[in-house]
Amino acid sequence: MNETFGDAARRLNGIAAQFLGWRPNEFWQATPTELTIALRDPGKDDSVLGPSRHEISQMMERDSNG
């Protein structure tokens, strides 16, 4: 099953609120890279920095509601 953009946004917004104390406005102003860096384990070398602009565009197109 493919996760829609809306599904991913709701899930990640909840994670940001729970673990970072971010309010919705802070979540929506952050880039995917900023969110990934904020959530990553500082003790691990994590070279994956979140979805690319192309991947985000694909999710938005797939989940477009007009």
Side-chain angles (χ1 to χ4, degrees), residues 5-59:
F5 179 81
D7 294 337
R10 281 187 289 278
R11 181 176 55 80
L12 291 171
N13 191 10
I15 291 169
Q18 183 177 3
F19 293 103
L20 302 173
W22 287 7
R23 293 176 295 256
N25 191 43
E26 294 165 320
F27 170 78
W28 287 109
Q29 288 181 1
T31 66
T33 299
E34 290 169 332
L35 178 60
T36 301
I37 290 170
L39 290 172
R40 75 182 177 103
D41 182 349
K44 291 187 176 181
D45 179 22
D46 185 5
S47 61
V48 178
L49 294 179
S52 68
R53 182 169 297 280
H54 177 71
E55 291 168 321
I56 291 171
S57 294
Q58 286 180 322
M59 284 189 288

